[in-house]
Amino acid sequence: MDLSLAIFVQIIAAVLLIIALMVGNAVVMVYMERKVAGFIQRRPGPYEVGPWGTIQAICDSMKLLAKQLYRPGNVDLILYYLAPVLAFFPVLLLFLPIPFGPWLTALHINEGIVLILAFAGLGVLSNLLAGWASNNKFSLLGAARAVAQTVAYEIPMILALLAVVFLSGSMDLKRITEQQGQWPWEWNILLQPLAFFIYLVSLVGETNRAPFDLPEAESELTAGFHTEYSGMGFALFFLSEYANMLLVSFVAAVFFLGGYKGPIADGFWWLFIKAYAVMFFMVWIRWTFPRVRFDQLLNLNWKWLLPLGLLNLWATAIIMKIFL
Amino acid sequence: MNDLIGQVFNAIGALLADLEAWLSPYLPGQSKVALLAFGFYVLLLLGGGLTAILARNLVRATLGLIITFLGVAGFYLLLASPFLAMMQLLIYIGAVCVLIFFAIMLTKNTSDGEEASLPRLANLIYAFLAGLAPLVVAGPLIVQGTKDIVTRQPVDSGTNLGEGLLSIDLLSFELISIILLVAMAGAVYLAWRPSGGEERA
Amino acid sequence: MLKAIWDNIKGLYSLLVGMSITGRYLLSPVETIHFPRQVVDDEIMASFRGPIQLTLGKKDPTQTRCISCQMCAKACPGHCLTVTKGDAKAPIQWLYDFSYCCLCGACVETCPTGALEFSHKVYLVTVSRQELILDLLSDLKTRGTQLGNQIVPPVPPAAKEASPSVAPASPSAPATLAAPTSAPPAPETKTDPPKAAEIKPDAAKPAQTKEPAPASGSTDPVAASPAVNSATNNPATNNPATNIANDVKTGAPAQSEPKAQTVAPQELAPATKPETKANPVANKKIHDHSSRPAKKRGHK
């Protein structure tokens, strides 16, 4: 990576655009989630504010901005204020290697997927810090659970993605996209269906989404590790959760669903359509299934997803060596 | 449409290259930028290390450790091994520090225990000398052995690492995996409680 | 081991079944209505148990049947009711603190004369606690004189579906000054006792009292007491028409023998009083509806 001015400007512009994308995504996702939840429950969702309730999400974010930042008395100040910031910034970096279009990759490095996995680990830290700094047993328990869950579900995720890396022979996201075709039957999902399934399940577990959302379950742990945060602190956690969801959906789209390639015209719109389809699926799952108990959650990961992931990897390696 | 975007980006890139060529007498050169990065990472390392040692609160000390690891990752980047840098982040910060956090958070650590107070002056001097020893002994050896690192061509670290682990250093690779397996088995054994039976010692 | 794997695969199938169910719900129309722009049918509101009100008097709709026996005040678990006895049996003040009322219906069931009933005031809005202490006598006077003066809006469509015995009387009910003409149809409907017997006793009241009401000539409907029931006079309620129509339904037309039938069904099933308000159910059999609201949802 040479440090010429062009690359510097490119990265700065990309970071600004990514911030805009993250905020826009949070607004869209909040609206989509509430509407889809409403329709699944046979009710309309937000409809008063703006046409079909579209301005509702903006009003919610304005409310969050304007709320008083209230914190409990004896919290560790540095850690308390560091935690939401630490939740937000690494997610920003994670969007850099994603190929939005043939010419629209912010940072074209050879180990794109490793960068994504590495900075996802930093997100885990923010949960811990938030839980500890809140000086609250429930938050601590929520944080401990969240971290155990996230760290556990990273592993099947890595294994599923590794299977695709085996197929493509490269960790570069752009090359993986280029090796898939335009039409759905040329995508990696047909070559690695089990890996796709494992990835989908670990996706839901990684981002602490229902039915694996014990760490932030309102009815169980009073919002878990972000109990003591209000206003902008909570907004940052919220934002980073939705950005995380968007990111893993982008990775799913790039690895399994063909990235920016589509039947008619290649471009960033296909990537967005596919990523939002995956996110719609996640919202659908959220409002269908009851919450999974924590030991069942971890059992699912260690006893089912991990062996399946290893099996898949082994089978892929054998098939590749023998037949390809 | 994508070709159009490509042409636009190429044009912008050419413009920026021209701008840089025009500005280059005034801008710091590439070596200067690397020096800036080096200084930043050194700050991270030393700051993190000092925080890890001197903080009263164990959680803050762990945070210092994390900052230190970030600095080390930066050094790997400067040495043209982005793969190792990512692995450092993934493994050390993402797994090891998280486990240290767990151990700290879920055990009782009073804020006025003996970790919280500064050690005696004699101990401090001994510690300083102990830290200086490897620097004095091993430092010149390392510098002698890697003098040509600045002029060596950077290689794709991931590929090289993979090839090396699976061909030249295969034995060490397998031994490391055996060690990890033994560690996991030991952990499971220590934590295992047969259903209905008593706890094993 | 294999059984565990097979169980899990079957479990996966159940997950898909669950998702298909929610997917189907996703694509089905919504069940709720948008409140200010649409309201729930009056038919459903007819079984709504709102704040209690005094039933209209038999001879004079502005006079209550209450005999100040204090049974309701004793029965009320929240001690909401304050009945002040006057020289005669009738009370001189009847206060009802809605802020403590739990709508249990004990007072309605206990009253020996059937003087209390549930209203259908869905849109009751107050802005202070004081306003929630309702003066039921002035509310009764308002409703009675409104009925007497025929200051009522057009007949709600529900009333038109009522039994034929009801029909002739109902169009005359909203006629502005056609009050005297309602009297002749009223005796006519006495001729179908079986149908009239099915009609709830309270429906009998106003047809008889229509004569005295215009005769009394009380033309000022609005009571001047400060604790007047906000719902009847509150312009902010969405459908004052419906509110008054609801109240009119209490008295709307159908006619039956005054005392004989009013007393008998009372002894049988005092809890059926809530049913009396709705004309559409006038054709239905008497059955015990003591506390079940209508299950269906209106969709306007």
Side-chain angles (χ1 to χ4, degrees):
Chain A
M1 296 192 287
D2 55 339
L3 298 168
S4 60
L5 190 63
I7 302 245
F8 195 61
V9 167
Q10 181 178 337
I11 293 183
I12 297 277
V15 165
L16 290 175
L17 280 175
I18 287 172
I19 293 181
L21 172 69
M22 280 170 73
V23 173
N25 169 63
V27 167
V28 168
M29 271 306 293
V30 162
Y31 178 69
M32 179 167 107
E33 171 138 32
R34 291 174 70 168
K35 272 301 212 196
V36 170
F39 283 127
I40 287 182
Q41 297 169 350
R42 309 287 291 272
R43 60 182 174 85
Y47 63 84
E48 276 292 331
V49 190
W52 294 300
T54 40
I55 311 187
Q56 175 82 41
I58 302 182
C59 294
D60 276 343
S61 44
M62 290 203 301
K63 170 205 80 163
L64 279 175
L65 275 174
K67 249 190 175 170
Q68 176 191 17
L69 289 181
Y70 180 79
R71 64 172 169 84
N74 27 342
V75 295
D76 198 342
L77 275 177
I78 299 182
L79 295 179
Y80 185 80
Y81 287 122
L82 185 63
V85 173
L86 199 57
F88 181 72
F89 277 107
V91 191
L92 232 159
L93 292 175
L94 293 179
F95 282 94
L96 288 176
I98 293 183
F100 284 99
W103 284 99
L104 292 172
T105 310
L107 186 64
H108 194 175
I109 62 176
N110 279 338
E111 300 87 15
I113 188 60
V114 184
L115 190 147
I116 291 179
L117 293 168
F119 281 100
L122 280 182
V124 162
L125 266 181
S126 76
N127 288 0
L128 265 181
L129 283 178
W132 172 261
S134 302
N135 203 16
N136 180 356
K137 285 193 183 58
F138 292 111
S139 297
L140 190 59
L141 272 180
R145 284 182 175 184
V147 169
Q149 177 185 333
T150 308
V151 164
Y153 275 92
E154 269 175 8
I155 300 178
M157 205 161 92
I158 297 179
L159 289 176
L161 295 176
L162 265 184
V164 175
V165 169
F166 272 23
L167 274 183
S168 314
S170 154
M171 289 191 282
D172 186 7
L173 288 172
K174 182 130 188 285
R175 200 176 297 184
I176 293 177
T177 314
E178 289 296 330
Q179 285 179 349
Q180 299 177 62
Q182 279 192 332
W183 295 94
W185 50 84
E186 296 170 357
W187 293 343
N188 275 342
I189 185 174
L190 281 186
L191 298 171
Q192 292 275 354
L194 184 58
F196 183 59
F197 174 71
I198 294 173
Y199 185 72
L200 271 184
V201 177
S202 54
L203 200 153
V204 177
E206 175 81 13
T207 52
N208 288 350
R209 285 287 289 184
F212 301 136
D213 65 345
L214 257 176
E216 52 185 49
E218 289 100 22
S219 49
E220 318 251 347
L221 282 175
T222 65
F225 60 87
H226 54 75
T227 311
E228 302 288 351
Y229 288 89
S230 69
M232 208 53 210
F234 175 70
L236 279 176
F237 276 121
F238 209 55
L239 202 67
S240 73
E241 170 174 333
Y242 279 129
N244 221 0
M245 270 174 68
L246 182 67
L247 174 82
V248 288
S249 304
F250 273 148
V251 170
V254 164
F255 270 74
F256 294 100
L257 297 175
Y260 55 76
K261 292 190 161 218
I264 304 170
D266 288 354
F268 62 91
W269 40 87
W270 282 115
L271 187 65
F272 276 90
I273 291 175
K274 293 170 195 176
Y276 275 95
V278 174
M279 287 218 282
F280 169 72
F281 182 72
M282 284 170 76
V283 173
W284 190 5
I285 285 187
R286 175 179 186 174
W287 297 104
T288 305
F289 299 124
R291 191 169 288 136
V292 173
R293 211 175 61 214
F294 197 64
D295 64 323
Q296 290 170 341
L297 211 157
L298 293 178
N299 269 355
L300 182 69
N301 180 64
W302 296 112
K303 291 190 190 168
W304 291 98
L305 288 180
L306 183 62
L308 275 178
L310 284 174
L311 210 66
N312 183 41
L313 207 58
W314 181 67
T316 308
I318 287 184
I319 291 178
M320 277 198 69
K321 194 65 185 172
I322 296 181
F323 299 111
L324 296 173
Chain B
M1 166 86 176
N2 293 317
D3 294 333
L4 186 61
I5 296 181
Q7 284 168 9
V8 166
F9 278 14
N10 276 341
I12 295 180
L15 271 177
L16 284 174
D18 287 343
L19 180 64
E20 182 184 7
W22 181 73
L23 280 179
S24 59
Y26 312 104
L27 277 180
Q30 287 193 357
S31 56
K32 296 256 177 62
V33 174
L35 205 59
L36 261 173
F38 179 78
F40 177 63
Y41 293 133
V42 163
L43 267 177
L44 278 184
L45 259 179
L46 290 180
L50 285 173
T51 313
I53 299 172
L54 298 175
R56 298 300 174 95
N57 192 352
L58 266 182
V59 174
R60 289 203 195 180
T62 316
L63 204 60
L65 195 64
I66 291 171
I67 299 177
T68 312
F69 288 148
L70 277 174
V72 174
F75 272 107
Y76 281 128
L77 280 177
L78 280 177
L79 289 171
S81 321
F83 186 77
L84 271 181
M86 305 303 164
M87 282 297 140
Q88 166 86 4
L89 287 174
L90 181 63
I91 295 171
Y92 269 101
I93 300 183
V96 170
C97 284
V98 164
L99 283 179
I100 296 178
F101 250 120
F102 263 102
I104 292 175
M105 288 194 315
L106 300 177
T107 57
K108 182 172 181 230
N109 53 332
T110 55
S111 55
D112 50 352
E114 64 174 42
E115 292 99 9
S117 55
L118 279 179
R120 297 180 342 209
L121 186 61
N123 285 349
L124 268 179
I125 297 182
Y126 297 150
F128 186 67
L129 288 176
L132 217 49
L135 191 68
V136 165
V137 170
L141 288 173
I142 295 177
V143 171
Q144 280 301 113
T146 58
K147 259 220 166 98
D148 61 342
I149 201 167
V150 184
T151 53
R152 233 188 276 174
Q153 282 297 324
V155 293
D156 180 11
S157 56
T159 316
N160 267 19
L161 201 61
E163 283 177 0
L165 277 179
L166 287 178
S167 56
I168 303 174
D169 298 315
L170 184 59
L171 182 62
S172 25
F173 181 58
E174 295 295 337
L175 282 177
I176 291 173
S177 43
I178 289 181
I179 289 178
L180 287 174
L181 183 65
V182 167
M184 269 204 298
V188 169
Y189 178 78
L190 280 176
W192 190 40
R193 214 170 285 188
S195 49
E198 72 275 16
E199 201 174 313
R200 290 194 184 184
Chain C
M1 171 72 172
L2 276 177
K3 185 175 182 316
I5 297 178
W6 179 239
D7 280 342
N8 276 341
I9 296 181
K10 278 196 291 194
L12 273 181
Y13 177 67
S14 75
L15 292 183
L16 284 175
V17 167
M19 288 191 68
S20 75
I21 293 177
T22 42
R24 209 171 53 234
Y25 277 8
L26 181 63
L27 302 169
S28 318
V30 298
E31 285 268 354
T32 57
I33 60 175
H34 292 194
F35 165 60
R37 303 176 190 107
Q38 306 162 337
V39 290
V40 180
D41 304 2
D42 290 336
E43 197 176 314
I44 293 177
M45 284 305 143
S47 56
F48 180 72
R49 293 179 10 155
I52 58 169
Q53 60 188 11
L54 292 169
T55 53
L56 298 168
K58 293 190 268 281
K59 292 208 171 79
D60 175 9
T62 59
Q63 298 300 321
T64 176
R65 302 189 205 177
C66 174
I67 54 174
S68 311
C69 65
Q70 310 287 338
M71 292 301 294
C72 55
K74 285 187 195 142
C76 178
H79 308 293
C80 307
L81 308 175
T82 312
V83 183
T84 314
K85 189 172 158 58
D87 290 330
K89 279 198 218 167
I92 52 170
Q93 194 193 40
W94 223 109
L95 289 180
Y96 164 49
D97 190 356
F98 189 49
S99 61
Y100 284 102
C101 176
C102 61
L103 294 170
C104 62
C107 52
V108 174
E109 290 188 26
T110 305
C111 181
T113 54
L116 290 176
E117 63 188 4
F118 284 108
S119 65
H120 302 304
K121 299 196 178 78
V122 188
Y123 306 111
L124 177 60
V125 170
T126 59
V127 292
S128 73
R129 261 196 184 241
Q130 284 308 110
E131 288 180 46
L132 277 178
I133 301 179
L134 310 172
D135 180 351
L136 292 192
L137 278 178
S138 49
D139 163 65
L140 177 67
K141 206 162 179 195
T142 313
R143 281 185 293 124
T145 50
Q146 274 177 351
L147 203 57
N149 280 339
Q150 311 300 333
I151 305 173
V152 287
V155 179
K160 293 200 180 93
E161 300 160 12
S163 63
S165 65
V166 174
S170 55
S172 63
T176 45
L177 289 172
T181 63
S182 66
E188 281 164 19
T189 57
K190 282 186 199 170
T191 54
D192 19 340
K195 262 207 183 122
E198 288 172 309
I199 295 167
K200 299 305 177 299
D202 291 333
K205 299 183 297 283
Q208 287 171 314
T209 57
K210 272 178 206 153
E211 262 181 323
S216 68
S218 55
T219 48
D220 50 323
V222 181
S225 82
V228 110
N229 194 338
S230 310
T232 34
N233 292 334
N234 194 350
T237 54
N238 248 326
N239 291 332
T242 322
N243 276 338
I244 300 181
N246 278 340
D247 296 335
V248 167
K249 276 192 221 155
T250 69
Q255 186 41 323
S256 61
E257 261 68 39
K259 289 179 180 97
Q261 268 137 352
T262 49
V263 171
Q266 265 182 37
E267 291 163 6
L268 278 177
T272 61
K273 285 197 191 65
E275 280 278 16
T276 68
K277 309 307 167 288
N279 282 320
V281 303
N283 287 333
K284 293 191 193 162
K285 290 215 179 116
I286 298 177
H287 46 273
D288 190 71
H289 249 247
S290 42
S291 56
R292 302 281 306 275
K295 277 255 166 74
K296 48 188 173 149
R297 305 269 176 269
H299 210 87
K300 271 200 179 150

